[in-house]
Amino acid sequence: MIATGSSVGTVSFYLNGAWEKPEGRTMGAVRNPATGETIAEVPYATDADIDRAVRAAHEAFLKWRDVPVVDRVQVMYRYKVLLDKYSGDVAATLTRENGKTSDDAKAEVRRMIQMVEVACGMPSLMMGDSLNDVAQGIDCKTIRQPIGVCAGITPFNFPAMVPAWMYPFAIACGNTFVLKPSEKVPLTPTRAIELLHDAGLPPGVLNLVHGAKDTVNALLHHPLVKAVSFVGSTPIAKYIYATAAAEGKRVQALGGAKNHLVVMADADMPKTVEAIIGSAFGAAGERCLAGSVLVPVGDAAGPLLDLLVKRTQSLHVGDGSKSGVEMGPLVTGDHCAKVAGYVDKGVAEGATPLVDGRASRPAGGGFYLGPTIFDHVTPEMTIAKEEIFGPVLSVMRVETLDDAINLVNRSPFGNATAIFTSNGKAAREYSSRIEVGMVGVNVGVAAPMAFFPFAGWKNSFFGDLHAHGKDAVSFYTEQKVIMSRWF
C-alpha cells in the first residue's frame, strides 16, 4: 500500500495484518529507471520496527503452526487466483520501478505464480516416511514440522519472483515470515502482499518491512528469527551467511555469477544467437543467470560473431513499457555508471569492442546503456572475472571443448552455464564435467522451474539447501524421528 499526501506516495510497512505509514524514518527515493523521475518514497525500518515485525510473526506462528496443512494451502489457492487476475497490474508496477520490458515483467510474474502453485502441493510435499517393525514391536516414522519465524532479504532484479521463492513455501510449511525487499523496488512486493492480504492470510503470518543494511542486520541478529533466505551479490551473501549462521540460524544465501555460454561449431547459429541475445541482454543483463562470457570453440567464432553483432546492433533499447522495446534501462543511475565503468575498463585493458553500448543510449533522463560486446577478452581482464550485472558480453575464444571446460571450471563462480551444439556426446560430456550448478543444453537461461531447486555452486551459493523445489520444503522444516512401542 502506498500512502499519498505529497507529490509522491510513501510505501507502507505491513505489520500484523495492517498497513502502516511510518513517520520520522530515514527515507529513500524510488525512481522510474526509464525517466529518472521519483515515483515513491520508501521508509527505512528501525531496530524497533524490526522487533515489532518479528514479534508479531512469532505470536502468529504459535497459532499458524497448528493450522492443518490442508487449510493453510487454501490461502495459497486463493492467492494464486488473485495473482492470475491482477498479473498485468503487478507486471506494470514491476516495469515502472525496475525498468525491464513488459514482456520480461509478465514472464517474471508467471514464474512467481508457478512458485505459489507448487506451494499449494504442501500436503504432499511435507509428507514423512514410516516403517513398521524396525525392531520387534517397534515402529518408526519421520514427520516435518515448521521451524518458526523466517526472514527473506531479496534483490532489485526480480521483485516479484524472488520473494516468491521464499514466503509461499515457508508459509505453507507452517512458518511465519518477515520480508525485506530491495529498497530500490518496494512497489512490486507491496502489491504482491496486498493480494496475499486479500486472500485471507491471518495477521502476522507475513510482515513486510523496508530498509537497507541496518534493517538487514536487525533481522540477522534477532533471536526469534530462525531462518534467513537471501539473494544478492557474493560479498553480501558471504556476510549474510557468516553472520546469521554464527547466530545459530539456518541460512540459504544466493550470491553472484559469471556465467559462460559455450558455442560449438556445429551449433544452429541463428537459434543460438537468439538464445545468446536473450541470455546476455534480457533484463538489461541484470540477473544472476545472465550469460556474461561467450566462449566460441574453434571455427564457431567467425559465423557466430557475424550474426551476433548484427542482431545486437538492431536491438531496440528504450522505455520497457513501450511496445517494440527489446531492452530497458538499468535500475539506477549509480548502477548504470558502474556498468559503464566496466565498459571503460574493458577498452583500457585492451579488449576489442565489437558493439559499444555507450554510443547507443536513447535520449532522455533514464538510466540507459546499450548492449556491449567485447572480443579477444583474456582471463586476466577485469571484465572476464568480475560480475558486471549489466548488458556486457565478453568473448573468450578457445580451440577445443576441453579448453572451454577448463576455462569455465577455473571461475570462482558456479551458478549457470550453457552449451550450444548439435552433438549429443559433446553436450553430455560438458554437462557431466562442468563444475556449475545449473546447465543449459541449447538453452541460454538455465532457470529451473518451481519444482526443481535453484542450484548454484561455489561462490554463487552459501548453505546446504537451495531455493524452491523440494529443497525449500527441507529448508523451512525440521525433520523429527518418532520411535514407538505399545505394551
Side-chain angles (χ1 to χ4, degrees):
M1 178 175 290
I2 302 176
T4 58
S6 60
S7 57
V8 297
T10 300
V11 183
S12 298
F13 296 160
Y14 181 68
L15 301 178
N16 206 22
W19 294 98
E20 293 186 9
K21 180 185 176 183
E23 303 287 350
R25 307 297 195 279
T26 299
M27 305 294 284
V30 182
R31 291 188 167 86
N32 182 336
T35 64
E37 68 172 329
T38 299
I39 55 177
E41 289 186 324
V42 57
Y44 290 2
T46 63
D47 287 1
D49 293 325
I50 295 301
D51 186 57
R52 285 195 301 131
V54 173
R55 290 187 182 282
H58 178 68
E59 289 301 315
F61 170 68
L62 300 179
K63 300 175 183 177
W64 183 244
R65 66 183 176 183
D66 292 331
V67 174
V69 64
V70 292
D71 294 329
R72 293 198 299 260
V73 298
Q74 297 308 310
V75 177
M76 292 294 126
Y77 281 116
R78 295 193 295 269
Y79 187 38
K80 192 266 183 190
V81 170
L82 290 173
L83 286 171
D84 279 331
K85 182 177 180 179
Y86 295 104
S87 61
D89 175 32
V90 177
T93 301
L94 200 165
T95 291
R96 187 168 177 242
E97 68 175 350
N98 169 275
K100 65 179 61 176
T101 66
S102 294
D103 285 345
D104 273 350
K106 290 173 183 175
E108 177 182 341
V109 174
R110 174 48 50 193
R111 285 287 185 138
M112 173 195 186
I113 294 170
Q114 289 167 353
M115 300 295 160
V116 177
E117 290 172 345
V118 173
C120 287
M122 202 55 67
S124 295
L125 295 172
M126 277 188 72
M127 282 185 177
D129 298 307
S130 66
L131 182 63
N132 283 3
D133 295 314
V134 295
Q136 186 66 41
I138 297 177
D139 303 332
C140 185
K141 68 177 181 180
T142 63
I143 61 172
R144 290 196 171 275
Q145 295 183 312
I147 57 179
V149 179
C150 304
I153 303 159
T154 58
F156 72 80
N157 58 331
F158 285 93
M161 181 184 71
V162 170
W165 288 359
M166 304 171 186
Y167 67 81
F169 292 94
I171 290 170
C173 284
N175 303 286
T176 54
F177 206 85
V178 179
L179 175 63
K180 204 300 289 183
S182 168
E183 66 276 17
K184 299 180 179 69
V185 289
L187 306 182
T188 303
T190 294
R191 184 69 183 113
I193 301 314
E194 287 175 350
L195 296 175
L196 185 54
H197 173 88
D198 293 344
L201 189 72
V205 175
L206 188 141
N207 301 271
L208 175 67
V209 295
H210 305 287
K213 182 177 180 180
D214 289 344
T215 309
V216 170
N217 281 330
L219 284 169
L220 298 182
H221 292 291
H222 200 291
L224 291 177
V225 172
K226 301 303 181 183
V228 177
S229 300
F230 170 81
V231 177
S233 68
T234 288
I236 299 177
K238 285 182 176 180
Y239 171 79
I240 297 283
Y241 182 73
T243 303
E247 296 277 350
K249 304 182 192 307
R250 185 173 292 186
V251 191
Q252 53 181 195
L254 286 70
K258 196 68 179 176
N259 304 317
H260 296 71
L261 307 176
V262 175
V263 182
M264 306 297 290
D266 58 15
D268 183 318
M269 290 303 173
K271 291 180 180 177
T272 296
V273 164
E274 288 305 313
I276 293 169
I277 290 288
S279 181
F281 306 132
E286 294 175 323
R287 56 187 178 197
C288 62
L289 291 181
S292 57
V293 180
L294 179 60
V295 186
V297 178
D299 295 335
L304 173 66
L305 293 179
D306 286 346
L307 287 172
L308 181 62
V309 168
K310 184 177 180 180
R311 178 68 179 94
T312 301
Q313 290 171 334
S314 74
L315 280 175
H316 185 189
V317 179
D319 185 337
S321 66
K322 306 299 183 185
S323 178
V325 170
E326 296 175 278
M327 194 186 94
L330 280 81
V331 69
T332 66
D334 287 346
H335 185 59
C336 187
K338 179 181 178 182
V339 176
Y342 277 108
V343 179
D344 295 340
K345 188 164 287 189
V347 173
E349 292 181 354
T352 304
L354 301 180
V355 182
D356 190 338
R358 299 171 300 180
S360 59
R361 298 180 180 180
F367 312 131
Y368 291 101
L369 179 71
T372 297
I373 300 175
F374 280 108
D375 197 4
H376 302 295
V377 176
T378 55
E380 69 276 3
M381 293 181 181
T382 303
I383 58 173
K385 297 183 294 183
E386 297 185 8
E387 183 181 39
I388 297 173
F389 223 63
V392 180
L393 183 63
S394 300
V395 180
M396 302 179 71
R397 303 180 184 218
V398 298
E399 289 300 318
T400 68
L401 180 59
D402 279 343
D403 293 337
I405 292 171
N406 292 333
L407 173 67
V408 177
N409 285 348
R410 284 196 297 269
S411 173
F413 299 102
N415 212 40
T417 187
I419 183 170
F420 295 89
T421 181
S422 297
N423 186 306
K425 181 179 183 299
R428 186 178 187 278
E429 183 175 358
Y430 187 81
S431 301
S432 176
R433 291 174 55 193
I434 211 69
E435 296 168 5
V436 176
M438 291 170 281
V439 182
V441 177
N442 298 316
V443 174
V445 180
M449 298 294 284
F451 30 83
F452 286 96
F454 195 93
W457 287 14
K458 298 194 281 192
N459 279 347
S460 295
F461 178 74
F462 303 92
D464 298 307
L465 295 165
H466 292 87
H468 58 80
K470 293 179 182 178
D471 270 25
V473 181
S474 296
F475 182 79
Y476 289 118
T477 58
E478 290 277 18
Q479 193 166 208
K480 182 179 287 184
V481 181
I482 301 173
M483 305 280 289
S484 60
R485 175 169 57 189
W486 299 98
F487 296 105

